[in-house]
Amino acid sequence: MTETEPIVFIVDDDDSVRKSLTRLITSVGLKVKTFSSANDFLKCDPYDGPACLVLDIRMPGLSGLDLQAELTKAQRTVSIVFISGHGNIPMSVQALKAGAVDFLEKPFDEQALLDAVHLAILKNKSLRQAQTELNQIQKRIESLTPREREVFSLVVTGMLNKQIAFEMGISEKTIKVHRARVMQKMQAESLAALARMAEKADVYP
Amino acid sequence: MTETEPIVFIVDDDDSVRKSLTRLITSVGLKVKTFSSANDFLKCDPYDGPACLVLDIRMPGLSGLDLQAELTKAQRTVSIVFISGHGNIPMSVQALKAGAVDFLEKPFDEQALLDAVHLAILKNKSLRQAQTELNQIQKRIESLTPREREVFSLVVTGMLNKQIAFEMGISEKTIKVHRARVMQKMQAESLAALARMAEKADVYP
DNA sequence: TAGGATATGGGACTTTGGTCTAATAGGGGA
DNA sequence: TCCCCTATTAGACCAAAGTCCCATATCCTA
């Protein structure tokens, strides 16, 4: 597994802002890709790696907040640092409540922006990691047959095969069969590992 | 276990604001307690139940943000809804980054405030619940002897007693003894339950 | 209609975990 | 000095889980 390089996306309709941001961010060795509108960014291929988005609030067409909403809807995980020339409090509140990493006013302190970008990349990395892990677990759960899923959810509560058999009204022998398949399909080498997966996938109420 | 009643604390130096807020919030059946300064609130006994704090930003003495910082430092879990007459973007950003539930500008929409308060109470409830659960688990972990803790962390990775014994260079028999004590002290009725506790307490890297 | 996936079970066997009793040994506090 | 906690181990035994190999009965699809 190669460590993918982080990319900083910049979406701002102002050409000079894009240029100065690019200069600033590339100066610390980060890769940059710029877009002059939210729609351009939405049209581009979702980047499969740690990504940060430096996003202007006020733009013709889709606004920064609109873009944020679209990305959330499309389940594209980018960590956003907002920059605004004429923002207001409700905007900043909405942005942060929707998960933005920071919200800076123009003219911003260069170091503050770089800090925010680095933090966003870090957060994005761990977010992506947690997400892919969860996806894998859920995909495995989907590969279970209905009966296996039933056994799975009872097993991870700590019930004995005997008890599960009674609960489901079938033989303990059959539970063993299902259970073995669950362990195999979930790729769990131990009950402890299975329980951890269940915990992450929120199988418990 | 009796369900403790939620309380809405109001901290604002303006008498008339306190009064109108109290009227509004009690009108939906919530209990209210008011304070005219941040220090007064800090001096009062930490309430052990779901709590929401409606907090003014600008006040003589400690500001709302100062109070938020103090509460965080003191590990007092209250969910905060900020209200501000003369706030600005950096303030709102700081407040939300520090975990505030909402940040409303005066004059605020009454329904918006009530919604925020209700949301804050909900969040506070689940926060408190997760916290007390975590505390219990950590207290139990602390009650383990060093050797037991070692066995604990190896057990929850799914290792067999035999493997743990080899890893620790002692007899499998001893592992069984430690393991039994771990289950007892952690109040886990099954390996699955133990693994879930370990997951919550972040025993894994 | 043949084959695959699913669900169900039995028999026989091994490994693993849990429990009970009992014992030894060192460190530290009353 | 004596007792408690901690750590260590043994033997005996039972319960639980996992693993073979096997068989039957659906249901759905190619």
mmCIF file of all heavy atoms in Angstrom, chain B residues 38 41-42 46 53 55 62-80 82 94-101 124 127 131:
data_model
loop_
_atom_site.group_PDB
_atom_site.id
_atom_site.type_symbol
_atom_site.label_atom_id
_atom_site.label_comp_id
_atom_site.label_asym_id
_atom_site.label_seq_id
_atom_site.Cartn_x
_atom_site.Cartn_y
_atom_site.Cartn_z
ATOM 1 N N ALA B 38 -20.172 34.907 34.879
ATOM 2 C CA ALA B 38 -19.523 33.619 34.669
ATOM 3 C C ALA B 38 -18.991 33.067 35.985
ATOM 4 O O ALA B 38 -19.065 31.863 36.245
ATOM 5 C CB ALA B 38 -18.383 33.766 33.663
ATOM 6 N N PHE B 41 -21.497 31.317 38.062
ATOM 7 C CA PHE B 41 -21.777 29.968 37.568
ATOM 8 C C PHE B 41 -20.680 28.997 37.966
ATOM 9 O O PHE B 41 -20.944 27.857 38.370
ATOM 10 C CB PHE B 41 -21.932 29.981 36.049
ATOM 11 C CG PHE B 41 -22.221 28.628 35.467
ATOM 12 C CD1 PHE B 41 -23.483 28.074 35.584
ATOM 13 C CD2 PHE B 41 -21.241 27.906 34.822
ATOM 14 C CE1 PHE B 41 -23.763 26.824 35.072
ATOM 15 C CE2 PHE B 41 -21.504 26.652 34.303
ATOM 16 C CZ PHE B 41 -22.768 26.115 34.420
ATOM 17 N N LEU B 42 -19.451 29.463 37.861
ATOM 18 C CA LEU B 42 -18.324 28.586 38.221
ATOM 19 C C LEU B 42 -18.362 28.202 39.691
ATOM 20 O O LEU B 42 -17.928 27.121 40.082
ATOM 21 C CB LEU B 42 -16.993 29.277 37.902
ATOM 22 C CG LEU B 42 -16.531 29.180 36.454
ATOM 23 C CD1 LEU B 42 -15.316 30.062 36.207
ATOM 24 C CD2 LEU B 42 -16.223 27.739 36.085
ATOM 25 N N PRO B 46 -21.363 21.788 40.544
ATOM 26 C CA PRO B 46 -21.574 21.132 39.248
ATOM 27 C C PRO B 46 -22.821 20.266 39.318
ATOM 28 O O PRO B 46 -22.946 19.426 40.214
ATOM 29 C CB PRO B 46 -20.311 20.273 39.075
ATOM 30 C CG PRO B 46 -19.294 20.885 39.965
ATOM 31 C CD PRO B 46 -20.052 21.482 41.111
ATOM 32 N N LEU B 53 -26.288 25.106 28.715
ATOM 33 C CA LEU B 53 -25.903 26.438 29.179
ATOM 34 C C LEU B 53 -26.141 27.447 28.070
ATOM 35 O O LEU B 53 -25.536 27.344 26.995
ATOM 36 C CB LEU B 53 -24.429 26.428 29.590
ATOM 37 C CG LEU B 53 -23.768 27.762 29.923
ATOM 38 C CD1 LEU B 53 -24.536 28.516 30.989
ATOM 39 C CD2 LEU B 53 -22.330 27.535 30.364
ATOM 40 N N LEU B 55 -25.401 30.967 27.032
ATOM 41 C CA LEU B 55 -24.300 31.789 27.500
ATOM 42 C C LEU B 55 -24.087 33.022 26.630
ATOM 43 O O LEU B 55 -23.960 32.918 25.403
ATOM 44 C CB LEU B 55 -23.021 30.922 27.512
ATOM 45 C CG LEU B 55 -21.720 31.544 27.972
ATOM 46 C CD1 LEU B 55 -21.848 32.192 29.336
ATOM 47 C CD2 LEU B 55 -20.619 30.483 27.977
ATOM 48 N N LEU B 62 -15.230 37.577 33.403
ATOM 49 C CA LEU B 62 -14.980 36.487 32.455
ATOM 50 C C LEU B 62 -15.968 36.566 31.293
ATOM 51 O O LEU B 62 -17.172 36.703 31.511
ATOM 52 C CB LEU B 62 -15.139 35.128 33.146
ATOM 53 C CG LEU B 62 -13.986 34.608 34.003
ATOM 54 C CD1 LEU B 62 -14.300 33.214 34.518
ATOM 55 C CD2 LEU B 62 -12.692 34.596 33.223
ATOM 56 N N SER B 63 -15.462 36.460 30.085
ATOM 57 C CA SER B 63 -16.351 36.447 28.928
ATOM 58 C C SER B 63 -16.943 35.043 28.764
ATOM 59 O O SER B 63 -16.539 34.103 29.446
ATOM 60 C CB SER B 63 -15.571 36.802 27.669
ATOM 61 O OG SER B 63 -14.797 35.697 27.256
ATOM 62 N N GLY B 64 -17.894 34.919 27.835
ATOM 63 C CA GLY B 64 -18.491 33.624 27.587
ATOM 64 C C GLY B 64 -17.463 32.601 27.123
ATOM 65 O O GLY B 64 -17.473 31.445 27.547
ATOM 66 N N LEU B 65 -16.560 33.053 26.248
ATOM 67 C CA LEU B 65 -15.527 32.140 25.753
ATOM 68 C C LEU B 65 -14.592 31.727 26.880
ATOM 69 O O LEU B 65 -14.143 30.583 26.934
ATOM 70 C CB LEU B 65 -14.754 32.796 24.613
ATOM 71 C CG LEU B 65 -15.548 32.985 23.320
ATOM 72 C CD1 LEU B 65 -14.733 33.774 22.294
ATOM 73 C CD2 LEU B 65 -15.944 31.639 22.736
ATOM 74 N N ASP B 66 -14.295 32.684 27.767
ATOM 75 C CA ASP B 66 -13.460 32.343 28.933
ATOM 76 C C ASP B 66 -14.137 31.267 29.777
ATOM 77 O O ASP B 66 -13.498 30.286 30.189
ATOM 78 C CB ASP B 66 -13.218 33.581 29.806
ATOM 79 C CG ASP B 66 -12.349 34.603 29.102
ATOM 80 O OD1 ASP B 66 -11.585 34.200 28.194
ATOM 81 O OD2 ASP B 66 -12.440 35.796 29.445
ATOM 82 N N LEU B 67 -15.416 31.471 30.006
ATOM 83 C CA LEU B 67 -16.144 30.499 30.824
ATOM 84 C C LEU B 67 -16.124 29.117 30.165
ATOM 85 O O LEU B 67 -15.897 28.099 30.822
ATOM 86 C CB LEU B 67 -17.588 30.960 31.030
ATOM 87 C CG LEU B 67 -18.490 29.993 31.798
ATOM 88 C CD1 LEU B 67 -17.901 29.632 33.148
ATOM 89 C CD2 LEU B 67 -19.889 30.571 31.979
ATOM 90 N N GLN B 68 -16.328 29.116 28.856
ATOM 91 C CA GLN B 68 -16.284 27.844 28.123
ATOM 92 C C GLN B 68 -14.939 27.146 28.336
ATOM 93 O O GLN B 68 -14.890 25.945 28.620
ATOM 94 C CB GLN B 68 -16.496 28.107 26.629
ATOM 95 C CG GLN B 68 -16.533 26.843 25.782
ATOM 96 C CD GLN B 68 -16.656 27.148 24.301
ATOM 97 O OE1 GLN B 68 -16.123 28.151 23.820
ATOM 98 N NE2 GLN B 68 -17.356 26.299 23.580
ATOM 99 N N ALA B 69 -13.866 27.933 28.242
ATOM 100 C CA ALA B 69 -12.534 27.365 28.431
ATOM 101 C C ALA B 69 -12.365 26.808 29.843
ATOM 102 O O ALA B 69 -11.811 25.723 30.041
ATOM 103 C CB ALA B 69 -11.467 28.417 28.141
ATOM 104 N N GLU B 70 -12.866 27.560 30.825
ATOM 105 C CA GLU B 70 -12.758 27.112 32.217
ATOM 106 C C GLU B 70 -13.515 25.802 32.434
ATOM 107 O O GLU B 70 -13.032 24.900 33.098
ATOM 108 C CB GLU B 70 -13.321 28.189 33.165
ATOM 109 C CG GLU B 70 -12.446 29.429 33.296
ATOM 110 C CD GLU B 70 -11.071 29.091 33.866
ATOM 111 O OE1 GLU B 70 -11.006 28.272 34.803
ATOM 112 O OE2 GLU B 70 -10.071 29.621 33.356
ATOM 113 N N LEU B 71 -14.705 25.751 31.870
ATOM 114 C CA LEU B 71 -15.518 24.545 32.041
ATOM 115 C C LEU B 71 -14.843 23.346 31.389
ATOM 116 O O LEU B 71 -14.861 22.236 31.926
ATOM 117 C CB LEU B 71 -16.907 24.763 31.437
ATOM 118 C CG LEU B 71 -17.770 25.797 32.171
ATOM 119 C CD1 LEU B 71 -19.054 26.057 31.403
ATOM 120 C CD2 LEU B 71 -18.091 25.311 33.577
ATOM 121 N N THR B 72 -14.245 23.586 30.241
ATOM 122 C CA THR B 72 -13.535 22.500 29.568
ATOM 123 C C THR B 72 -12.373 22.033 30.424
ATOM 124 O O THR B 72 -12.163 20.829 30.610
ATOM 125 C CB THR B 72 -13.008 22.976 28.206
ATOM 126 O OG1 THR B 72 -14.085 23.468 27.435
ATOM 127 C CG2 THR B 72 -12.340 21.822 27.460
ATOM 128 N N LYS B 73 -11.635 23.010 30.971
ATOM 129 C CA LYS B 73 -10.484 22.668 31.788
ATOM 130 C C LYS B 73 -10.916 21.884 33.023
ATOM 131 O O LYS B 73 -10.249 20.936 33.451
ATOM 132 C CB LYS B 73 -9.754 23.953 32.210
ATOM 133 C CG LYS B 73 -8.269 23.716 32.391
ATOM 134 C CD LYS B 73 -7.489 24.885 32.977
ATOM 135 C CE LYS B 73 -8.019 26.276 32.754
ATOM 136 N NZ LYS B 73 -7.326 27.242 33.618
ATOM 137 N N ALA B 74 -12.054 22.278 33.586
ATOM 138 C CA ALA B 74 -12.535 21.615 34.796
ATOM 139 C C ALA B 74 -13.288 20.322 34.460
ATOM 140 O O ALA B 74 -13.815 19.661 35.348
ATOM 141 C CB ALA B 74 -13.441 22.552 35.578
ATOM 142 N N GLN B 75 -13.341 19.983 33.184
ATOM 143 C CA GLN B 75 -14.013 18.761 32.739
ATOM 144 C C GLN B 75 -15.494 18.732 33.119
ATOM 145 O O GLN B 75 -16.025 17.655 33.415
ATOM 146 C CB GLN B 75 -13.318 17.525 33.316
ATOM 147 C CG GLN B 75 -11.837 17.516 33.036
ATOM 148 C CD GLN B 75 -11.334 16.105 32.778
ATOM 149 O OE1 GLN B 75 -11.938 15.327 32.053
ATOM 150 N NE2 GLN B 75 -10.214 15.777 33.383
ATOM 151 N N ARG B 76 -16.100 19.891 33.150
ATOM 152 C CA ARG B 76 -17.539 19.910 33.428
ATOM 153 C C ARG B 76 -18.270 19.857 32.107
ATOM 154 O O ARG B 76 -18.154 20.749 31.274
ATOM 155 C CB ARG B 76 -17.913 21.182 34.201
ATOM 156 C CG ARG B 76 -17.638 21.046 35.691
ATOM 157 C CD ARG B 76 -17.927 22.326 36.436
ATOM 158 N NE ARG B 76 -19.312 22.725 36.395
ATOM 159 C CZ ARG B 76 -19.788 23.776 37.070
ATOM 160 N NH1 ARG B 76 -18.965 24.491 37.831
ATOM 161 N NH2 ARG B 76 -21.057 24.082 37.004
ATOM 162 N N THR B 77 -19.021 18.784 31.926
ATOM 163 C CA THR B 77 -19.695 18.606 30.645
ATOM 164 C C THR B 77 -21.037 19.312 30.612
ATOM 165 O O THR B 77 -22.031 18.782 31.105
ATOM 166 C CB THR B 77 -19.943 17.114 30.357
ATOM 167 O OG1 THR B 77 -19.754 16.406 31.573
ATOM 168 C CG2 THR B 77 -19.046 16.608 29.290
ATOM 169 N N VAL B 78 -21.030 20.513 30.061
ATOM 170 C CA VAL B 78 -22.287 21.174 29.742
ATOM 171 C C VAL B 78 -22.255 21.491 28.257
ATOM 172 O O VAL B 78 -21.215 21.803 27.702
ATOM 173 C CB VAL B 78 -22.479 22.491 30.524
ATOM 174 C CG1 VAL B 78 -22.986 22.219 31.918
ATOM 175 C CG2 VAL B 78 -21.200 23.296 30.574
ATOM 176 N N SER B 79 -23.406 21.405 27.632
ATOM 177 C CA SER B 79 -23.482 21.746 26.224
ATOM 178 C C SER B 79 -23.924 23.194 26.118
ATOM 179 O O SER B 79 -24.927 23.587 26.711
ATOM 180 C CB SER B 79 -24.460 20.820 25.517
ATOM 181 O OG SER B 79 -23.985 19.487 25.600
ATOM 182 N N ILE B 80 -23.166 23.973 25.369
ATOM 183 C CA ILE B 80 -23.355 25.424 25.383
ATOM 184 C C ILE B 80 -24.035 25.937 24.127
ATOM 185 O O ILE B 80 -23.684 25.553 23.014
ATOM 186 C CB ILE B 80 -21.998 26.137 25.550
ATOM 187 C CG1 ILE B 80 -21.310 25.663 26.836
ATOM 188 C CG2 ILE B 80 -22.176 27.645 25.530
ATOM 189 C CD1 ILE B 80 -19.962 26.314 27.082
ATOM 190 N N PHE B 82 -24.427 29.581 22.592
ATOM 191 C CA PHE B 82 -23.999 30.960 22.765
ATOM 192 C C PHE B 82 -25.025 31.925 22.193
ATOM 193 O O PHE B 82 -25.667 31.639 21.183
ATOM 194 C CB PHE B 82 -22.655 31.206 22.057
ATOM 195 C CG PHE B 82 -21.466 30.787 22.870
ATOM 196 C CD1 PHE B 82 -20.853 29.567 22.649
ATOM 197 C CD2 PHE B 82 -20.952 31.629 23.859
ATOM 198 C CE1 PHE B 82 -19.749 29.185 23.395
ATOM 199 C CE2 PHE B 82 -19.852 31.246 24.614
ATOM 200 C CZ PHE B 82 -19.251 30.027 24.381
ATOM 201 N N GLN B 94 -14.282 30.111 17.252
ATOM 202 C CA GLN B 94 -13.642 29.570 18.451
ATOM 203 C C GLN B 94 -14.639 28.785 19.292
ATOM 204 O O GLN B 94 -14.355 27.680 19.769
ATOM 205 C CB GLN B 94 -13.033 30.706 19.285
ATOM 206 C CG GLN B 94 -12.296 30.193 20.516
ATOM 207 C CD GLN B 94 -11.849 31.331 21.433
ATOM 208 O OE1 GLN B 94 -11.646 32.443 20.972
ATOM 209 N NE2 GLN B 94 -11.702 31.029 22.722
ATOM 210 N N ALA B 95 -15.822 29.379 19.464
ATOM 211 C CA ALA B 95 -16.851 28.734 20.283
ATOM 212 C C ALA B 95 -17.220 27.368 19.721
ATOM 213 O O ALA B 95 -17.253 26.369 20.452
ATOM 214 C CB ALA B 95 -18.085 29.624 20.353
ATOM 215 N N LEU B 96 -17.473 27.308 18.425
ATOM 216 C CA LEU B 96 -17.907 26.042 17.844
ATOM 217 C C LEU B 96 -16.774 25.020 17.812
ATOM 218 O O LEU B 96 -17.003 23.824 18.020
ATOM 219 C CB LEU B 96 -18.453 26.271 16.436
ATOM 220 C CG LEU B 96 -19.806 26.967 16.394
ATOM 221 C CD1 LEU B 96 -20.296 27.105 14.965
ATOM 222 C CD2 LEU B 96 -20.827 26.211 17.220
ATOM 223 N N LYS B 97 -15.560 25.507 17.546
ATOM 224 C CA LYS B 97 -14.437 24.568 17.547
ATOM 225 C C LYS B 97 -14.239 23.974 18.945
ATOM 226 O O LYS B 97 -13.788 22.837 19.091
ATOM 227 C CB LYS B 97 -13.156 25.268 17.072
ATOM 228 C CG LYS B 97 -13.125 25.456 15.555
ATOM 229 C CD LYS B 97 -11.707 25.468 15.017
ATOM 230 C CE LYS B 97 -11.084 26.839 15.116
ATOM 231 N NZ LYS B 97 -9.792 26.925 14.393
ATOM 232 N N ALA B 98 -14.583 24.763 19.962
ATOM 233 C CA ALA B 98 -14.445 24.261 21.333
ATOM 234 C C ALA B 98 -15.640 23.415 21.747
ATOM 235 O O ALA B 98 -15.760 23.035 22.898
ATOM 236 C CB ALA B 98 -14.254 25.419 22.298
ATOM 237 N N GLY B 99 -16.556 23.182 20.816
ATOM 238 C CA GLY B 99 -17.626 22.242 21.094
ATOM 239 C C GLY B 99 -19.003 22.828 21.375
ATOM 240 O O GLY B 99 -19.914 22.099 21.752
ATOM 241 N N ALA B 100 -19.145 24.126 21.184
ATOM 242 C CA ALA B 100 -20.460 24.725 21.407
ATOM 243 C C ALA B 100 -21.475 24.114 20.446
ATOM 244 O O ALA B 100 -21.136 23.731 19.325
ATOM 245 C CB ALA B 100 -20.410 26.231 21.213
ATOM 246 N N VAL B 101 -22.717 24.027 20.894
ATOM 247 C CA VAL B 101 -23.749 23.416 20.062
ATOM 248 C C VAL B 101 -24.267 24.404 19.023
ATOM 249 O O VAL B 101 -24.528 24.059 17.889
ATOM 250 C CB VAL B 101 -24.921 22.921 20.935
ATOM 251 C CG1 VAL B 101 -26.074 22.438 20.087
ATOM 252 C CG2 VAL B 101 -24.430 21.813 21.859
ATOM 253 N N ASN B 124 -26.025 16.608 25.243
ATOM 254 C CA ASN B 124 -25.436 16.496 26.575
ATOM 255 C C ASN B 124 -25.761 15.159 27.220
ATOM 256 O O ASN B 124 -24.916 14.546 27.879
ATOM 257 C CB ASN B 124 -25.940 17.652 27.440
ATOM 258 C CG ASN B 124 -25.113 17.802 28.700
ATOM 259 O OD1 ASN B 124 -25.602 17.601 29.800
ATOM 260 N ND2 ASN B 124 -23.829 18.112 28.554
ATOM 261 N N LEU B 127 -23.632 12.534 25.625
ATOM 262 C CA LEU B 127 -22.254 12.807 26.029
ATOM 263 C C LEU B 127 -22.001 12.309 27.437
ATOM 264 O O LEU B 127 -21.019 11.618 27.718
ATOM 265 C CB LEU B 127 -21.994 14.313 25.963
ATOM 266 C CG LEU B 127 -20.553 14.748 25.748
ATOM 267 C CD1 LEU B 127 -20.126 14.479 24.318
ATOM 268 C CD2 LEU B 127 -20.390 16.219 26.089
ATOM 269 N N GLN B 131 -19.640 9.276 28.693
ATOM 270 C CA GLN B 131 -18.579 9.619 29.633
ATOM 271 C C GLN B 131 -18.604 8.748 30.884
ATOM 272 O O GLN B 131 -17.569 8.240 31.316
ATOM 273 C CB GLN B 131 -18.718 11.079 30.047
ATOM 274 C CG GLN B 131 -17.496 11.891 29.750
ATOM 275 C CD GLN B 131 -17.754 13.349 29.987
ATOM 276 O OE1 GLN B 131 -18.685 13.741 30.701
ATOM 277 N NE2 GLN B 131 -16.932 14.178 29.389
#
